[in-house]
Every structure is written in C-alpha cells, then in structure tokens.
Amino acid sequence: TLTVTSANHWMTAWLGLELNMISILPVIAKQKHPRSTEAATKYFLTQATASALMLFASTINAWQTGSWNIMQLNNKLSCILMIAALAMKMGAAPTHFWLPEVMQGTTLATTLLITTWQKIAPITLLYMISNHTEPTITLSIGLLSILVGGWGGFNQTQLRKMMAYSSIAHLGWTMTVISIMPNIALTNIIIYMIMSAPFFMLLMTTASKTLQTMTMTWTHTPTTTIILMLLLLSMAGLPPLTGFTPKLLILDNLVAHKLTLTATTMALLSLLSLTFYLRTTYLLTSTAPPTTTQSTTTWRLKPHQNQVTALLTPIALFNITILPALLT
C-alpha cells in the first residue's frame, strides 16, 4: 500500500497493488474451510483482472503521450479504463459482485482489512488522476453504487454481507465527488474507515456474525450495544454524528456545481441504506432478548483488545473537531 501511495510511475503503482493482493490472499484463506478458499479465489481473480486492465490503460497512455507519470493520464480511453479498473479494485458498482462474497467467506478481522486498508491504494490513485477523470462516469458509478449498496443490504441477515453493501454505498458517495472536489472524497473515505473499524472490532469482541446473535449483546454488555447503535447511526449519516459531515459537504458541493438533481437522487437513495441501519439498530436496542443466564456464553470481553476501539469510537461519533469548518 505504501509503495502505491508514494509512486509516481504507473509500473511502480501496479507492482505495489500486485504485492498487496498476493500478501492478503493467505490472510483470506487462513481458515481451513472451502468457503474461505473460494473467497480467496474470487478475490484473486477480480483483483488480477483489475490489475491487467490498469496495466493496459497505463500502457495505452504511455504509447499515446510518452509519459508513465501517474499525474499525466491525458489519454481519454486510458482514463476511462483506469477508472473501471480502480472501481473493480475497490468494489464499486457495477463491478461490486466479488465484495459481499469475499467478505462473507472470511473472518471479521480480514473483513475489516478488506473494507478499510485495502481501499487506501486504489483511492490514492483515483485521487491522483482526479483532474483527468470524466465527471459523468464517476457520477454514474457513484449513483449506481449508492443504489446497489442500499438495495443489496436490505434483506441481509449476515452482518459481514450487510457491511459489504454498506461499504459499496459509502464508496458511491466518494465516487460522485472525486472528480469535482477530490479532498472531500478523501475526507469521506477516511471518516468511513474511522467508523467501520470500531464497529468491526466490537463485532469481533462479541463474536457476532448474524443479526440474531447481535440481539444477545444487551444481556452481556449494555455499553457495547449502545456504542454499536451509535456507530450504525453514524454510518447512516444522522446529524449530530460524524457520518453526517461528509454527506453534507458532498451534497453542498454538488448543489454548488449545479448538480441539484444528482444531489437529490443521492439523498433519496441513501434512505435505502438508512432502512437496514435502522433495522439493525432496532434489533440491537429495542427488542428484548431471551435471558441467557443459564446458557453458556459464546464470548468473554478481553479488556486489552478494546484500546483501539476506545480510541476510534469518539472520533467516529462526535463531530466536534469538524464543527468550526461547517459553521464558517
């Protein structure tokens, strides 16, 4: 990832992405289970296809313009192919099909890696070529991702799949604004990573994999339940919480660029995501689970694991640091 983020030459960036992909394959396939092997295979095939497409795009650009510099992606065809390749690398719609399947086949820790760290390299490259990108293409990918992310998460009972669709929807918000205001797109994806990291860490602590097991957290640790609820609402983008800030900034900039219809469509499509976030929140906090004092508990809280969660949770929930910028 660091090789990609510090690269100037397309071949260096490609090499970094290949190393990144090869390194995470054994992590995905760590469990000795056919499902994790299948997830690793799916991940490898999609990432290899995207890498090949990326190499093809950069070669065409070098052939036409004589430059391998990342910032000088001047060929129009190269730019379109590069956006497609990076969208496939991240899991943005319409090339999102691998993401829920891969996330469902791995552990929660690996899922956290895929939704956060693995997005850094492609987002950095997108940020670097953002001044050459075609706004209509990025807007289309973004809108489709928000739609797919909201619709796909509707019927999910598996938390990992639900979070995969949530990731697709957040990527959609990033993609819509990357060619207009790349800095805001970067802010959006960083805030998403800060919100999803403590969420996954709490799921790992409570060993929750489905909505059904999630309802049991209240009987064991009410504090965890409340934090999970707030994190979900923050991801949904409800006002006092951090998740609302990037959404407001994105919609504000789209309206400023005379894209009011797009902004309205995005706001309405985000209601789809809000539905499954609120459903999970309701299951967590408003339903009374059966008393499980007699049964054996499936997990125990390990205090030393919660330091990172404790650090990230306040940032994911409280908007105080960004408020002055909003008010000016």
Side-chain angles (χ1 to χ4, degrees), residues 143-163:
L143 280 169
L144 191 61
S145 296
I146 296 168
L147 176 66
V148 166
W151 228 328
F154 239 66
N155 271 344
Q156 297 303 335
T157 53
Q158 295 287 339
L159 288 171
R160 282 168 293 181
K161 271 196 176 177
M162 195 180 84
M163 290 310 293

Side-chain angles (χ1 to χ4, degrees), residues 8-235:
N8 278 320
H9 194 286
W10 276 116
M11 290 300 281
T12 321
W14 174 79
L15 185 72
L17 283 167
E18 287 297 293
L19 284 169
N20 187 3
M21 175 190 73
I22 291 161
S23 308
I24 203 168
L25 287 176
V27 180
I28 295 172
K30 188 177 68 165
Q31 287 175 296
K32 303 291 184 285
H33 194 276
R35 188 172 280 174
S36 55
T37 314
E38 183 189 336
T41 312
K42 282 176 178 173
Y43 187 83
F44 169 72
L45 290 172
T46 44
Q47 298 295 315
T49 309
S51 291
L53 195 57
M54 185 183 149
L55 201 58
F56 179 55
S58 52
T59 311
I60 288 176
N61 187 61
W63 183 36
Q64 293 290 327
T65 62
S67 169
W68 280 97
N69 194 313
I70 291 176
M71 308 291 273
Q72 294 172 2
L73 195 72
N74 298 323
N75 186 280
K76 205 169 183 181
L77 175 65
S78 297
C79 199
I80 294 166
L81 287 172
M82 191 59 74
I83 292 167
L86 292 172
M88 191 187 282
K89 279 252 171 226
M90 292 185 295
T95 49
H96 65 280
F97 296 102
W98 62 273
L99 188 62
E101 298 298 320
V102 168
M103 281 173 71
Q104 185 56 34
T106 55
T107 58
L108 282 164
T110 316
T111 309
L112 171 62
L113 261 183
I114 293 169
T115 44
T116 53
W117 188 260
Q118 293 301 98
K119 301 262 191 286
I120 296 172
I123 281 284
T124 309
L125 289 174
L126 255 180
Y127 181 80
M128 289 166 86
I129 64 164
S130 59
N131 57 335
H132 296 296
T133 51
E134 196 71 44
T136 45
I137 294 169
T138 51
L139 280 169
S140 308
I141 291 173
L143 280 169
L144 191 61
S145 296
I146 296 168
L147 176 66
V148 166
W151 228 328
F154 239 66
N155 271 344
Q156 297 303 335
T157 53
Q158 295 287 339
L159 288 171
R160 282 168 293 181
K161 271 196 176 177
M162 195 180 84
M163 290 310 293
Y165 284 109
S166 161
S167 173
I168 294 164
H170 278 92
L171 271 177
W173 282 86
T174 307
M175 288 297 282
T176 42
V177 84
I178 194 96
S179 55
I180 300 163
M181 284 291 279
N183 290 344
I184 289 175
L186 214 57
T187 309
N188 182 53
I189 204 76
I190 290 166
I191 287 176
Y192 166 68
M193 287 174 187
I194 289 169
M195 289 187 300
S196 59
F199 184 80
F200 276 112
M201 283 169 185
L202 285 172
L203 290 187
M204 280 148 62
T205 313
T206 58
S208 303
K209 291 189 176 73
T210 60
L211 288 178
Q212 191 179 3
T213 50
M214 211 178 182
T215 55
M216 309 297 277
T217 54
W218 182 257
T219 51
H220 299 293
T221 48
T223 321
T224 305
T225 315
I226 292 162
I227 294 170
L228 279 171
M229 177 198 80
L230 288 169
L231 285 168
L232 278 164
L233 293 177
S234 186
M235 279 188 211

